[in-house]
């Protein structure tokens, strides 16, 4: 008995152990004053030690962490090698496979890397917590021209009116991808122009069997995920106004959800759900758009890279716009990958030099060619070197990246709560348990206090 | 005489102290580990639960603020409900099933050790791998389970997408991984003295009656142990829920039906950086599990029998 009685305690202890990790990290911050002081005191000797070991060239080694897996690390490794060869002051050491949780642990601990590449939505909470170096001074001192960057990408790096990171590359959802064979079978000769046409096309491209089960679907608005940013962007929505009032319930945002809901009303909730769960895995040979199970989908620049070639099975078109708002033509959502310097980095100046190198046109062009991504420097988008045959399927995306109508979600300390709440409520609205207006009112009500508090 | 006694006593005391020191030295790796990696973090988490803390800025004291906030948080209740659901609906059937399997695997049949091995194998599959496998089985369109149901004339549910069926899916999957419980039951079953059964047989008791009068009481300490262990594991339900939820590209699954308590805790801590709030959540979980465990212990006197006591 007595033995059993202690068991739960010990096990519960381990449940609390999750927190121990945090607690362990926290202790550093508790002693921040003294730790900071000793670090400052130690740094001259530390750097002199480094000088001693690398005397001839006075080289500084900085560490650079990325999220890339080994399989995807080729292009970035080439960039880092080039940088190391281009000068003899800084050596960049790269470490891949560092997911955000690992990054968070590292930048909160004592041995933070000097530069990290991460998902842009981490920058808000991390910067607000004081873990990310404010780049304002670096930018002004080095004369870096922020306006050389695509605004939709650079805006994502701004938290409380300050820049905390640089958008190294960006992903973009601004196109409609479609199965050419499905279109031909339905007698459709060109992609839809407006959202109203998209609805019509979806009806024409959806097939049901005798018992009412869907066998082919035209379009699923929340495939592959509920996108709470893309759709409002397409409708010209916003999330915060200039007075700090959150606007998830603004008219265009609500319309964006109502539009998505209309597909469920048309084809049936349970039918779509059932069909969806039987669809092949995205990005494999069984991808529903490739097999023709699904005729159209929201397209990103990384989807169907070879298959969307002129003679391939997948067609690409600009995503349709609302017929009554032709000025929104060419809208799209931007989702950058951000590079930042932790506040605790030991070599921020060298890190900033490396970041600037990442943001030069030459680097951006080379990386875009190697990794088939969209550069974030405006000049790079028009660079002839990108428009070569081996990179042909990217050309349309470089063109659409020049659009004025690109947008993204505002970055902030509460961004993840805001996005989470939007997803939850949008899901309810799509299922019809709440009206789009009700759902978005709830988001505003729930998240506004966070926006006011921070 | 008195002097000798006194000397002896001192000698013993000295020797005891030496033994104590040696003992402590030998256990010191654990003791140090326990203090640094368990006790300190546990106590620190309690302190953090009383603060607003984001990992970077110094903690800000808010007293019981986090706990008060918990009681006004819809998702706290939702995640608690999801966790209680999987605990209450899942634990007892899983144990009953494991016991039934243990009884079968305890039968004197040829090739029993092979059956035992086969039955235990799934337990060795990592949680993520078995979740991914089961997501295929549970696929509503092409999954084996719905195919089987179709043959007997039942239209299977949309297991992974319908919020009413996501948790039952996980519980169903749980049956697959009951090997450890079964093995422990098996050990307990083999400890039940044969003579009881012989006596019962002579008295003409049926197998059913033998089970309830002899087997079940005899293995009741094992049942108590399993119940407590499973309760704790169930309250910490995490991996499988997270993997299933990923299938719908979300953290909480369809309509947050897979937002289990520890997943919500993780989200608060690492996604929202509300470390203080997450610590408070951990302590709430501690209290709830503690209460459940206490209730079980209080009632256990009525149904748990120890060979020596009775």
């Amino acid at each position: 008995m007595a033995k059993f009685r202690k068991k739960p305690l010990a096990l519960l202890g381990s449940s609390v152990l999750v927190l121990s990790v945090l607690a362990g990290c926290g202790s550093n911050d508790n002693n921040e004053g003294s730790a900071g002081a000793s670090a400052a005191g130690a740094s001259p000797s530390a750097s002199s030690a480094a000088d001693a070991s690398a005397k001839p060239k006075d080289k500084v080694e900085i560490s650079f962490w990325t999220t890339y897996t080994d399989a995807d690390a080729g292009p970035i490794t080439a960039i880092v090698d080039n940088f190391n060869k281009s000068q003899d002051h800084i050596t960049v050491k790269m470490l891949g496979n560092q997911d955000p949780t690992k990054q968070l642990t590292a930048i909160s601990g004592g041995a933070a890397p000097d530069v990290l590449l991460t998902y842009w939505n981490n920058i808000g909470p991390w910067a607000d917590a004081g873990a990310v170096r404010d780049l304002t001074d670096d930018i002004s001192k080095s004369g870096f021209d922020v306006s050389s960057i695509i605004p939709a990408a650079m805006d994502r790096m701004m938290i409380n009116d300050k820049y905390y990171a640089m958008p190294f590359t960006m992903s973009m959802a601004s196109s409609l991808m479609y199965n050419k064979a499905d279109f031909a079978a339905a007698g459709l000769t060109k992609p839809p122009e407006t959202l109203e046409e998209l609805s019509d096309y979806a009806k024409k491209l959806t097939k049901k069997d005798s018992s009412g089960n869907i066998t082919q679907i035209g379009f699923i608005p929340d495939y592959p995920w509920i996108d709470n940013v893309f759709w409002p962007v397409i409708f010209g929505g916003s999330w915060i106004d200039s007075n700090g009032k959150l606007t998830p319930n603004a008219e265009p945002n609500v319309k964006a959800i109502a539009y998505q809901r209309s597909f469920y009303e048309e084809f049936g909730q349970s039918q779509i759900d059932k069909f969806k769960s039987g669809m092949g895995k995205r990005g494999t040979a069984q991808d529903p758009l490739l097999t023709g199970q699904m005729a159209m989908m929201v397209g990103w620049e990384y989807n169907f890279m070879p298959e969307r070639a002129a003679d391939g099975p997948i067609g690409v078109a600009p995503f349709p716009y609302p017929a009554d708002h032709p000025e929104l033509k060419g809208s799209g959502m931007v989702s950058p990958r951000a590079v930042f310097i932790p506040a605790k980095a030991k070599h921020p100046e060298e890190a900033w030099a490396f970041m600037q190198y990442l943001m030069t046109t030459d680097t951006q062009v080379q990386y875009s060619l190697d990794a088939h991504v969209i550069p974030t420097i405006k000049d790079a988008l028009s660079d002839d070197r990108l428009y070569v045959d081996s990179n042909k399927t990217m050309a349309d995306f470089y063109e659409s990246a020049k659009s004025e109508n690109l947008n993204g979600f505002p970055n902030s300390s509460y961004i993840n709560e805001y996005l989470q709440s939007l997803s939850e409520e949008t899901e309810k609205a799509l299922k019809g348990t709440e009206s789009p207006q009700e759902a978005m009112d709830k988001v505003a009500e729930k998240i506004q206090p966070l926006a006011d508090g921070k | 005489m008195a002097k000798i006694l006194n000397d002896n006593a001192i000698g013993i005391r000295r020797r005891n102290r030496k033994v104590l020191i040696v003992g402590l030295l030998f256990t010191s790796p654990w003791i140090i580990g326990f203090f640094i990696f368990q006790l300190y973090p546990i106590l620190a988490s309690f302190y953090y639960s009383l603060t607003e803390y984001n990992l970077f800025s110094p903690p800000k004291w808010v007293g019981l603020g986090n706990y008060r906030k918990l009681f006004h948080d819809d998702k706290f209740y939702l995640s608690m409900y999801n966790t209680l659901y999987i605990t209450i609906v899942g634990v007892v059937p899983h144990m009953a099933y494991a016991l039934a399997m243990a009884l079968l695997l305890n039968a004197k049949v040829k090739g029993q050790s092979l059956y035992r091995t086969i039955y235990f194998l799934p337990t060795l599959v990592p949680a993520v791998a078995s979740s991914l496998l089961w997501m295929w089985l549970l696929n509503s369109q092409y999954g084996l389970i719905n195919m089987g149901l179709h043959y007997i004339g039942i239209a299977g549910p949309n297991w992974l997408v319908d919020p009413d069926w996501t948790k039952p899916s996980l519980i169903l999957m749980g049956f697959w991984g009951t090997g450890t419980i079964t093995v422990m039951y098996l050990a307990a079953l083999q400890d039940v003295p044969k003579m009881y059964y012989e006596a019962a047989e002579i008295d003409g008791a049926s197998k059913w009656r033998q089970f309830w009068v002899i087997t079940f009481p005899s293995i009741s300490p094992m049942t108590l142990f399993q119940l407590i262990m499973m309760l704790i594991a169930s309250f910490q339900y995490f991996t499988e829920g997270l993997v299933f939820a990923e299938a719908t590209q979300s953290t909480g699954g369809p309509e947050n039906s897979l937002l289990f308590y520890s997943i919500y805790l993780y989200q608060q801590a690492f996604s929202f950086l509300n470390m203080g709030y997450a610590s408070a959540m951990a302590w709430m979980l501690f209290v709830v599990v503690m209460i459940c465990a206490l209730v079980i212990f209080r009632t256990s006197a009525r149904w748990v029998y120890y060979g020596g006591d009775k």
Side-chain angles (χ1 to χ4, degrees), chain A residues 114-235:
Chain A
D114 297 297
V115 190
L116 293 95
L117 183 137
T118 195
Y119 306 108
W120 69 276
N121 60 311
N122 292 330
I123 301 292
W126 295 357
D128 183 73
V132 181
R133 182 178 168 90
D134 174 4
L135 295 179
T136 312
D137 285 350
D138 298 312
I139 291 172
S140 67
K141 261 188 227 160
S142 60
F144 183 86
D145 182 11
V146 172
S147 66
S148 66
I149 300 173
I150 296 171
M154 198 60 204
D155 288 349
R156 311 279 79 73
M157 307 295 117
M158 184 182 265
I159 296 100
N160 305 331
D161 298 324
K162 282 178 191 155
Y163 290 122
Y164 282 89
M166 286 286 156
F168 177 46
T169 69
M170 65 184 212
S171 256
M172 192 176 67
S174 66
S175 61
L176 181 79
M177 297 198 179
Y178 57 94
N179 184 297
K180 289 178 184 168
D182 281 354
F183 268 47
L188 300 167
T189 50
K190 61 177 187 56
E193 281 260 328
T194 63
L195 290 170
E196 290 69 16
E197 275 177 39
L198 176 63
S199 298
D200 287 343
Y201 273 49
K203 280 174 215 162
K204 286 181 193 152
L205 289 161
T206 300
K207 292 179 188 161
K208 291 189 175 183
D209 66 11
S210 52
S211 49
N213 290 318
I214 296 172
T215 55
Q216 175 187 311
I217 196 154
F219 183 72
I220 302 176
D222 58 331
Y223 175 86
W225 49 66
I226 292 177
D227 206 310
N228 41 31
V229 183
F230 171 76
W231 283 103
V233 165
I234 291 301
F235 280 80

Side-chain angles (χ1 to χ4, degrees), chain A residues 4 8 12 15-17 19-20 22-23 26 29 101 107-108 129 131 224 273-274 277-278 416-417 420 424 427 431, chain B residues 37 41 45 53-57 75 139-142 158 236 249 254-256 266-267 270-272 275 279 282:
Chain A
F4 286 3
L12 282 166
S15 90
V16 184
L17 200 78
L19 294 150
S20 74
L22 329 181
D29 288 270
T101 311
I107 61 175
S108 61
D273 281 349
K274 193 166 178 208
S277 66
N416 292 329
E417 283 101 323
Q420 179 69 31
E424 285 167 8
E427 183 183 14
K431 294 203 168 166
Chain B
F37 296 117
S45 81
Y53 177 48
N54 65 15
L55 260 189
F56 297 98
S57 338
K75 284 210 280 189
N139 186 301
S140 67
Q141 197 93 316
Y142 305 113
N158 205 340
Q236 296 176 10
Q249 302 278 356
E255 291 179 23
N256 272 332
Y266 177 83
Q267 193 181 38
F270 292 97
S271 187
F272 303 161
M275 296 292 168
S279 299

